[in-house]
Amino acid sequence: MDATEIHAPGNQMQIFLLDDHEMIRRGVRQLLEAEPDMKVVGEAGTCAEAMVRVPELQPHVAVLDVRLPDGDGISVCRELRSLMPELACVMLTSFDDDTALLEAVMAGASGYVLKEVEGANLINAVRTVASGKSLLDPSMTQDLLERVSHQRETADTKEGGTQLGWRERQILQLVGEGRTNRQIGKELSLSEKAVKDHVSGMLEKLGFDPGLARASRWYKR
């Protein structure tokens, strides 16, 4: 179902929730299902469970927590969007900074919202991404990618570290445009696994938490 069909009279946008805290899932479910055009079709408390249930349920929108006990929402988002390019993902985060934005961009998410967000704003965010729009400004995200890359490479040069290679720069550009692993692989004649490897390497080089970089490799097949 495309964005037009989702908003057709009588249709409901179907939403999946991923968060390891049951009370948060329950609260978000009650908030969203109070809206006549929204229905939560499934929940999960772990990455592994989400990777099984989301492809089965085929929701329109996935609301994904960033930090989870067996991985993170970043890797889940990129993997799900490779399997389901039409899926719109919203990341839930506790951090309102460039790192949170960059994580959302690297995941191919349509946006991110703070866990402290007001209910009306979360509802609006879900409606926005379900309509095919992004909460992320393309020019802002591209500028952020370039700025973080430049800052990291400047530091690496001073410290004798390793800069991003030409292939990683290609992939970084496409990630910033919202492409999925599958789309990037097709355009650059690479396997999805190779793209994931490059994304993992970039996360580490760009100074991400090592746990997030490892998590981006969690679902490789």
Side-chain angles (χ1 to χ4, degrees):
M1 183 182 294
D2 61 23
T4 302
E5 292 173 309
I6 291 173
H7 293 284
N11 287 338
Q12 289 181 306
M13 64 184 76
Q14 299 181 7
I15 306 161
F16 189 93
L17 306 178
L18 170 59
D19 196 292
D20 59 325
H21 293 97
E22 181 185 356
M23 292 303 295
I24 291 179
R25 296 199 308 271
R26 185 179 300 178
V28 173
R29 174 186 279 270
Q30 291 177 349
L31 173 71
L32 297 179
E33 292 196 329
E35 301 298 310
D37 60 336
M38 297 184 179
K39 179 176 179 59
V40 176
V41 295
E43 302 177 8
T46 65
C47 297
E49 186 180 4
M51 287 304 304
V52 173
R53 300 206 68 205
V54 174
E56 290 178 347
L57 295 169
Q58 294 288 308
H60 305 120
V61 178
V63 180
L64 309 172
D65 189 10
V66 171
R67 308 282 180 171
L68 294 152
D70 62 336
D72 70 283
I74 303 301
S75 53
V76 173
C77 178
R78 281 201 70 76
E79 186 71 8
L80 287 176
R81 290 198 70 247
S82 283
L83 295 172
M84 306 163 57
E86 298 304 315
L87 176 67
C89 295
V90 176
M91 310 306 301
L92 283 177
T93 178
S94 300
F95 305 99
D96 184 17
D97 55 22
D98 283 355
T99 298
L101 174 58
L102 186 58
E103 288 177 351
V105 172
M106 293 294 285
S110 297
Y112 75 93
V113 296
L114 297 177
K115 286 194 172 182
E116 295 79 10
V117 69
E118 293 183 1
N121 289 335
L122 178 58
I123 291 170
N124 289 336
V126 171
R127 284 206 176 101
T128 296
V129 301
S131 69
K133 299 177 182 178
S134 175
L135 299 173
L136 305 173
D137 184 310
S139 61
M140 179 179 67
T141 57
Q142 190 59 46
D143 176 70
L144 175 62
L145 285 168
E146 293 174 356
R147 178 155 47 89
V148 171
S149 177
H150 175 73
Q151 290 173 346
R152 184 59 186 173
E153 292 195 3
T154 299
D156 281 344
T157 299
K158 293 179 180 179
E159 299 167 7
T162 303
Q163 299 183 14
L164 293 182
W166 67 273
R167 178 65 84 186
E168 290 172 324
R169 285 182 172 280
Q170 282 184 309
I171 293 174
L172 187 63
Q173 174 73 30
L174 295 172
V175 166
E177 294 173 5
R179 309 288 184 85
T180 67
N181 288 344
R182 180 174 299 173
Q183 291 168 338
I184 293 173
K186 184 176 181 180
E187 181 160 339
L188 301 181
S189 298
L190 295 172
S191 68
E192 284 190 62
K193 181 179 182 301
V195 175
K196 292 175 190 176
D197 285 339
H198 282 299
V199 171
S200 298
M202 284 189 292
L203 287 171
E204 292 177 350
K205 288 182 180 181
L206 292 174
F208 274 72
D209 183 283
L212 285 180
R214 286 194 298 271
S216 72
R217 294 191 285 263
W218 198 75
Y219 291 113
K220 286 181 189 171
R221 290 193 291 269

